[in-house]
Amino acid sequence: MSAANLRARVRAEMTEEIKTVAKRHLATDGANLSLRAVARDLGMASSAVYRYFASRDELLTALIIDAYDAVGEAAERASAEQSTPLEKWLAAGHAARDWALASPHEWALIYGSPVPGYQAPEDTIVPATRVMLLLGATLTEAYTSGVLVYREPITGRFIEELAPIAASILPDLPARLVADTIAAFFQICGAISAELFGQLNKSVEEDRRGFFDYQLRAAAAHAGLTG
Amino acid sequence: MSAANLRARVRAEMTEEIKTVAKRHLATDGANLSLRAVARDLGMASSAVYRYFASRDELLTALIIDAYDAVGEAAERASAEQSTPLEKWLAAGHAARDWALASPHEWALIYGSPVPGYQAPEDTIVPATRVMLLLGATLTEAYTSGVLVYREPITGRFIEELAPIAASILPDLPARLVADTIAAFFQICGAISAELFGQLNKSVEEDRRGFFDYQLRAAAAHAGLTG
DNA sequence: AGAAAGCAAGAGCACTGCTCTCTTTATGGC
DNA sequence: GCCATAAAGAGAGCAGTGCTCTTGCTTTCT
């Protein structure tokens, strides 16, 4: 083992350990993560943590990236186990919801209100689009295979704005379906956040999964995916 | 003026003044409201504020109630100016979005992630449902007047759970349309939050209103309201 | 008028993010 | 193998936070 790599490896392990403890704190104590408390749990001085993360915001950013990746991977994995586009769509949505229910504070970190003065850095936007791209890919598969009933193109300034970006990210999908992908993603996030943040106060308690499924299918149907 | 009422009136004015300053701080400094900073702005000791609000959470709760009322009133006012159900629906949605764009931090307070250990008290749930009830009333009008094309009832455990509450809140609406009302409300909140919290990173910049309108109409159409 | 209640101020506690200085330890060139 | 250098940790300290407690003062009620 080259001695030169030892420092770097120890540093990487320490960084990971800080994130792990921070996630545990997030899960138990909620969103107001205390750097000092994390340091205390690790048996080190709070100032030492600053050797790894320049600020509390930087630690949060790292956690946000991990969270995006975690939901993304959960959705992709669940989706991959299915065969038809609608099944993939539903599996992805339910996987995202399951992940959110299991890690509510991490969900709040990424899809709740941004932390006080926090400004999302560039590093976060790529992992952030992972779930949305999965939905888009599912629609693409349905569209190209003819399973999806495509109504007609729509017009509007937002469609013109969207078209160039759409062509580079989801090249085989008409602009309307790209708009539908984004809208569906927002709808799904909205449904999950609403459930998680207590918006459906007692109106549905037992079969929240069923209600979410209804909304998931509605979003799919609006894009023409009825399976 | 009875001297007995003087105290109460002064107290009410002071309470209002604290809320006003707190809202100003919220608008400029973001969500991490500092009670001490508010007190400083009012030229009083921080401990004096505790005569009016038992804790920071209680102040936040008061601001949350005001915010719910403000969106609710904006939506109701805009809706009342229209004549057809679809027009009312769209007006309510756009009014909510306009309010959110004008008061992003207050929107975050009510529809973003709940503050750390914050648990919504009972006082907030009535004003919180105001916008949703408006959507439900609009659908009721469309349904009873025959403008709405009602497909067929659906089944599901969540519908059974919903039915009794639905009957007491929106008595003239079939359970399916109550579910659609809630789903539409979640979708609209999701669309607004996503736009506000930066989820549509540069994909749509100029015509965000148009994209929101598309989503609003999609939610209406799913309930059978095409106007 | 006197007792009771309401209000404001200040000090203080325990906590936070963050910076600075000081000491120890590991690394890389000679 | 030695030694300057860079990295890492520890501790003190600053300015800020929510909240409590005690101390006075003022208004209200009896």
Side-chain angles (χ1 to χ4, degrees):
Chain A
M1 163 59 63
S2 142
N5 289 351
L6 198 148
R7 259 260 174 84
R9 211 192 56 197
V10 168
R11 183 180 175 83
E13 281 171 5
M14 195 69 213
T15 306
E16 212 56 42
E17 202 167 350
I18 293 173
K19 287 202 289 182
T20 303
V21 174
K23 281 173 201 168
R24 208 175 55 216
H25 270 78
L26 214 56
T28 58
D29 301 350
N32 54 351
L33 183 70
S34 159
L35 226 143
R36 284 179 112 113
V38 171
R40 224 171 305 143
D41 252 33
L42 286 164
M44 69 200 297
S46 66
S47 57
V49 178
Y50 284 84
R51 299 270 171 207
Y52 299 88
F53 298 95
S55 68
R56 185 171 158 278
D57 272 9
E58 203 171 276
L59 213 197
L60 284 175
T61 301
L63 297 179
I64 285 172
I65 293 175
D66 280 11
Y68 275 129
D69 275 331
V71 224
E73 199 186 309
E76 283 168 15
R77 188 185 300 271
S79 175
E81 288 174 0
Q82 304 297 325
S83 46
T84 75
L86 182 62
E87 284 168 353
K88 289 182 184 179
W89 178 279
L90 295 175
H94 282 295
R97 175 173 170 272
D98 291 341
W99 184 89
L101 290 177
S103 332
H105 288 104
E106 290 187 68
W107 175 271
L109 208 58
I110 56 182
Y111 293 117
S113 40
V115 187
Y118 182 80
Q119 192 68 12
E122 293 295 315
D123 329 12
T124 64
I125 71 174
V126 172
T129 55
R130 223 167 130 173
V131 174
M132 211 179 71
L133 284 181
L134 177 61
L135 295 176
T138 308
L139 282 192
T140 301
E141 184 191 334
Y143 177 69
T144 55
S145 73
V147 179
L148 187 145
V149 291
Y150 184 58
R151 300 195 184 83
E152 71 259 18
I154 54 171
T155 56
R157 260 195 299 152
F158 71 93
I159 289 285
E160 293 166 27
E161 278 193 80
L162 213 52
I165 302 160
S168 71
I169 309 286
L170 293 165
D172 299 324
L173 215 53
R176 178 194 181 143
L177 287 181
V178 175
D180 287 342
T181 301
I182 299 174
F185 176 67
F186 288 175
Q187 184 173 359
I188 292 168
C189 285
I192 293 176
S193 293
E195 176 179 343
L196 214 61
F197 300 158
Q199 302 271 4
L200 48 83
N201 290 320
K202 301 194 197 304
S203 60
V204 178
E205 300 213 88
E206 292 299 318
D207 192 26
R208 293 185 164 181
R209 195 194 135 92
F211 185 42
F212 179 71
D213 192 78
Y214 177 66
Q215 296 174 79
L216 253 186
R217 287 176 192 270
H222 177 257
L225 181 63
T226 52
Chain B
M1 164 59 60
S2 140
N5 290 352
L6 199 146
R7 256 263 174 81
R9 211 192 54 198
V10 168
R11 184 182 173 82
E13 281 172 5
M14 193 70 213
T15 306
E16 212 56 42
E17 201 166 350
I18 293 173
K19 287 202 291 181
T20 304
V21 174
K23 281 174 201 168
R24 208 175 56 215
H25 270 77
L26 213 57
T28 59
D29 301 350
N32 55 351
L33 183 68
S34 159
L35 227 144
R36 285 179 111 114
V38 171
R40 224 167 348 202
D41 251 33
L42 286 164
M44 68 201 297
S46 66
S47 56
V49 177
Y50 284 85
R51 296 271 165 200
Y52 299 88
F53 297 94
S55 68
R56 185 173 158 276
D57 272 8
E58 203 171 277
L59 212 198
L60 284 174
T61 300
L63 297 180
I64 285 172
I65 293 176
D66 280 13
Y68 275 129
D69 275 330
V71 224
E73 200 187 306
E76 284 168 14
R77 191 186 298 271
S79 175
E81 288 174 1
Q82 305 296 324
S83 45
T84 74
L86 182 63
E87 283 168 354
K88 289 182 183 178
W89 178 280
L90 296 175
H94 282 294
R97 177 173 170 272
D98 290 343
W99 185 89
L101 291 177
S103 332
H105 287 104
E106 290 186 69
W107 175 272
L109 208 56
I110 56 181
Y111 292 116
S113 40
V115 187
Y118 181 81
Q119 190 68 12
E122 293 296 315
D123 330 12
T124 65
I125 72 173
V126 174
T129 55
R130 225 168 128 174
V131 172
M132 213 179 69
L133 284 181
L134 177 62
L135 295 177
T138 307
L139 281 192
T140 301
E141 184 191 333
Y143 177 68
T144 54
S145 73
V147 179
L148 186 145
V149 292
Y150 183 58
R151 300 195 184 83
E152 72 259 18
I154 54 171
T155 57
R157 261 196 298 152
F158 71 93
I159 290 284
E160 293 166 29
E161 279 193 79
L162 213 52
I165 302 162
S168 70
I169 309 284
L170 293 165
D172 298 324
L173 215 53
R176 179 195 181 141
L177 288 181
V178 175
D180 287 342
T181 301
I182 299 174
F185 177 67
F186 288 175
Q187 185 173 358
I188 292 168
C189 285
I192 294 176
S193 292
E195 176 179 343
L196 214 61
F197 300 158
Q199 301 271 4
L200 48 81
N201 286 325
K202 300 193 197 306
S203 60
V204 178
E205 299 212 90
E206 293 298 319
D207 192 27
R208 293 186 164 180
R209 195 192 135 93
F211 185 42
F212 180 70
D213 192 79
Y214 177 66
Q215 295 174 81
L216 252 186
R217 287 176 193 270
H222 178 256
L225 181 64
T226 50

